[in-house]
Amino acid sequence: MNIVIAAGGTAGHINPGISIANIIKKYYPDANITFIGTKYGLESKLVPKAGFDIKFIHSKGLSNSPIKLLKSVVANTEGLFEARKILKELRPKVVIGMGGYVCAPVLFVAKKMLHIPVFIHESNSIAGKTNKFIGNF
């Protein structure tokens, strides 16, 4: 059984994802869990240290600055194609989004393009921008 966990940016998103992965492995030792994140977030260090595979896509948070917004749109568009390739390769039974901007392209592709069931985890009392966006579909 393949499972993908998308988590990025801060340890507040990544560590709960690692905890969920550890619980899944406890009850389903044969489960193949792969994280999707960015190369420039904490996930690039924390996930391998926890013993899980990670694949990287391009993704950036939205900004009010026109230049940064354009860069974000380009990165997230590239991330959509990268996420699609990874998800088609892994063929997960479920995709879990832990929060952070990297979740948007991953969960969008999983739900809308590949019709893979998705779960969204929000550990804050107020949902972040990405989880609010993802929650709309």
Side-chain angles (χ1 to χ4, degrees):
M1 170 174 56
N2 292 334
I3 297 172
V4 167
I5 299 176
T10 68
H13 296 304
I14 301 156
N15 287 334
I18 291 170
S19 294
I20 288 172
N22 285 326
I23 292 295
I24 292 169
K25 289 298 275 185
K26 178 179 176 181
Y27 290 99
Y28 301 95
D30 294 337
N32 179 29
I33 300 170
T34 303
F35 281 75
I36 296 179
T38 66
K39 289 183 180 177
Y40 37 84
L42 283 176
E43 64 271 24
S44 66
K45 294 180 177 111
L46 296 177
V47 171
K49 185 177 178 183
F52 293 100
D53 292 332
I54 185 165
K55 302 219 180 249
F56 300 109
I57 67 169
H58 290 88
S59 183
K60 288 188 181 291
L62 300 178
S63 172
N64 292 331
S65 160
I67 298 295
K68 288 182 180 179
L69 181 60
L70 179 60
K71 288 180 179 181
S72 175
V73 169
V74 170
N76 286 304
T77 300
E78 191 173 1
L80 286 169
F81 289 102
E82 294 165 335
R84 187 172 191 270
K85 181 179 177 186
I86 292 167
L87 293 174
K88 285 187 85 166
E89 174 189 313
L90 295 175
R91 300 178 61 207
K93 294 284 184 193
V94 66
V95 176
I96 304 168
M98 301 305 298
Y101 45 83
V102 73
C103 289
V106 176
L107 270 67
F108 182 83
V109 167
K111 180 68 176 169
K112 290 296 192 180
M113 297 177 152
L114 301 177
H115 309 289
I116 300 167
V118 300
F119 292 94
I120 303 170
H121 175 274
E122 179 60 68
S123 56
N124 298 310
S125 60
I126 298 173
K129 290 179 194 174
T130 302
N131 282 353
K132 285 181 184 176
F133 169 74
I134 294 166
N136 288 326
F137 60 83

